Amino acid sequence: MRISKPRLRSTSIQCYLCLLLNSHFLTEAGIHIFILGCTSASLPKTEANWNDVMSDLNAIKNLIQSIHIDATLYTESDAHPSCKVTAMKCFLLELRVIFQETNNKDIRQAIDNLIFLANNSLPSDGNVTESGCRECEELEEKSVKDFLGSFTHIVQMFINTPSQ
């Protein structure tokens, strides 16, 4: 099983580094480093790849086949493309139920990584509420197998959407 390592920029570390450098190097070079660091921190985050999310999802599917998880999860079966961010947020919340229901460290690690990658792969306007979309609690409860199948469909929606 291959779990991809996310390569995302940490804005807070860059800001602290800038402040540290600026406080110790109050020279022209220190000021340039400070400006470059602050500019770098304000750039858009590096988005992870949805294919990596799919890879982790497939790993979870394979690992879960060997164990029994007796849970039903809120599952979006027919999300409209205009509701895919809302649907993804529901899937990520419900994925935490699987995390709580298993002691398998490989599954838990894959879930942690998938949640991290997916959250960081969502569009930068991911905090915007999509109108007309169903809330998680309004969705039908389905088996883990059905949940993972529908989750795969939502991830494919993101993969098949051209980058903006």
Side-chain angles (χ1 to χ4, degrees), residues 45-92:
K45 67 183 177 190
T46 302
E47 292 190 358
N49 189 329
W50 283 107
N51 290 315
D52 293 335
V53 173
M54 183 63 82
S55 176
D56 286 336
L57 183 55
N58 288 330
I60 293 167
K61 283 183 185 178
N62 291 332
L63 289 166
I64 282 187
Q65 289 179 357
S66 63
I67 63 171
H68 176 70
I69 297 179
D70 188 29
T72 57
L73 306 165
Y74 293 118
T75 304
E76 177 63 84
S77 299
D78 56 351
H80 189 274
S82 65
C83 291
K84 68 182 182 182
V85 172
T86 301
M88 177 57 69
K89 289 179 182 180
C90 289
F91 277 109
L92 295 176

Side-chain angles (χ1 to χ4, degrees), residues 7-125:
R7 290 177 224 110
L8 301 173
R9 175 186 323 224
S10 174
T11 305
S12 60
I13 291 174
Q14 290 173 330
C15 289
Y16 288 125
L17 181 60
C18 289
L19 292 173
L20 177 68
L21 288 173
N22 191 39
S23 65
H24 289 350
F25 302 107
L26 292 176
T27 63
E28 186 176 339
I31 292 171
H32 285 133
I33 291 171
F34 177 76
I35 292 170
L36 288 173
C38 290
T39 303
S40 168
S42 67
L43 292 174
K45 67 183 177 190
T46 302
E47 292 190 358
N49 189 329
W50 283 107
N51 290 315
D52 293 335
V53 173
M54 183 63 82
S55 176
D56 286 336
L57 183 55
N58 288 330
I60 293 167
K61 283 183 185 178
N62 291 332
L63 289 166
I64 282 187
Q65 289 179 357
S66 63
I67 63 171
H68 176 70
I69 297 179
D70 188 29
T72 57
L73 306 165
Y74 293 118
T75 304
E76 177 63 84
S77 299
D78 56 351
H80 189 274
S82 65
C83 291
K84 68 182 182 182
V85 172
T86 301
M88 177 57 69
K89 289 179 182 180
C90 289
F91 277 109
L92 295 176
L93 286 172
E94 289 297 288
L95 198 56
R96 295 178 194 277
V97 173
I98 297 174
F99 184 92
Q100 296 299 322
E101 293 288 323
T102 185
N103 291 326
N104 183 302
K105 71 176 188 168
D106 291 332
I107 293 173
R108 292 177 79 127
Q109 182 180 5
I111 288 172
D112 269 343
N113 197 59
L114 186 151
I115 290 171
F116 182 81
L117 287 171
N119 278 324
N120 286 294
S121 296
L122 288 172
S124 54
D125 63 348

